[in-house]
């Protein structure tokens, strides 16, 4: 199964209204970052144990570990969670940037170092979320 099929299956597996909202965010991200690399992380480690929620990834980022090793990864992640939806901006050095820059403008969302969580799209300002996605995908985030 290719990445697009995995993403389609993952979104289809979500209950409504989360399914429609995930589809809307997926389309928005592809529009904001046309031609970006698509990823799908099923949330399982090499031993097939679940270690995170499945995540749709967009863009490209190289994670550098303390031991000098590197790992190719996505820049932006989109994931369903038990209470709603999470959007991740990977590789941010300044863990306060998202909250300081976008937190108050987003609406009813929890903003941590690199994650924005919200219950439903109705709770947030989609234009601000689009700006976050654009920022995360086009820059080496601070």
């Amino acid at each position: 199964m290719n990445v697009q099929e995995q993403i389609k299956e993952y979104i289809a597996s979500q209950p409504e209204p989360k399914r429609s909202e995930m589809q809307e965010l997926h389309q928005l991200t592809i529009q904001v970052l046309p031609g970006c690399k698509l990823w799908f992380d099923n949330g399982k480690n090499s031993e097939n144990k679940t270690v995170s929620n499945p995540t749709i990834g967009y863009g490209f980022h190289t994670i550098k570990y303390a031991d000098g090793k590197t790992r190719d990864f996505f820049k932006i992640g989109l994931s369903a969670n038990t209470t709603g939806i999470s959007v991740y901006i990977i590789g941010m050095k300044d863990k306060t940037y998202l909250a300081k820059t976008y937190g108050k403008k987003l609406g009813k969302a929890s903003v941590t170092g690199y994650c924005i969580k919200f219950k439903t799209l109705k709770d947030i300002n989609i234009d601000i979320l689009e700006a976050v996605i654009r920022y995360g995908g086009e820059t080496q985030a601070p």
Side-chain angles (χ1 to χ4, degrees):
M1 189 176 338
N2 70 29
V3 172
Q4 279 93 346
E5 290 167 341
Q6 291 175 307
I7 291 169
K8 188 175 182 180
E9 188 176 279
Y10 172 60
I11 292 172
S13 74
Q14 301 303 313
E16 284 295 355
K18 197 180 294 184
R19 178 184 318 139
S20 297
E21 294 190 350
M22 292 280 295
Q23 184 63 44
E24 185 176 337
L25 287 171
H26 176 62
Q27 291 303 323
L28 173 70
T29 305
I30 290 171
Q31 287 171 2
V32 170
L33 306 172
C36 70
K37 179 177 173 69
L38 288 177
W39 305 67
F40 184 74
D41 180 350
N42 65 7
K44 296 183 188 287
N45 68 10
S46 59
E47 297 160 7
N48 208 33
K49 290 184 181 173
T50 300
V51 294
S52 67
N53 290 327
T55 304
I56 303 167
Y58 308 88
F60 184 84
H61 175 71
T62 301
I63 297 174
K64 294 178 179 89
Y65 294 101
D67 64 3
K69 292 181 182 174
T70 60
R71 176 180 172 203
D72 293 344
F73 209 61
F74 48 82
K75 189 80 175 104
I76 297 173
L78 174 62
S79 181
N81 59 55
T82 54
T83 58
I85 298 171
S86 297
V87 175
Y88 304 95
I89 309 296
I90 307 299
M92 300 197 58
K93 290 177 181 65
D94 180 351
K95 301 297 181 204
T96 65
Y97 183 81
L98 279 181
K100 285 191 304 191
T101 307
Y102 301 104
K104 291 184 175 142
K105 302 176 203 167
L106 266 168
K108 284 176 60 178
S110 163
V111 183
T112 60
Y114 63 94
C115 179
I116 299 168
K117 286 185 190 176
F118 50 92
K119 185 171 182 159
T120 176
L121 287 177
K122 291 180 284 195
D123 290 345
I124 63 163
N125 182 329
I126 194 77
D127 293 334
I128 299 299
L129 185 60
E130 180 179 336
V132 170
I133 292 167
R134 180 171 285 110
Y135 168 78
E138 293 179 349
T139 65
Q140 286 300 322

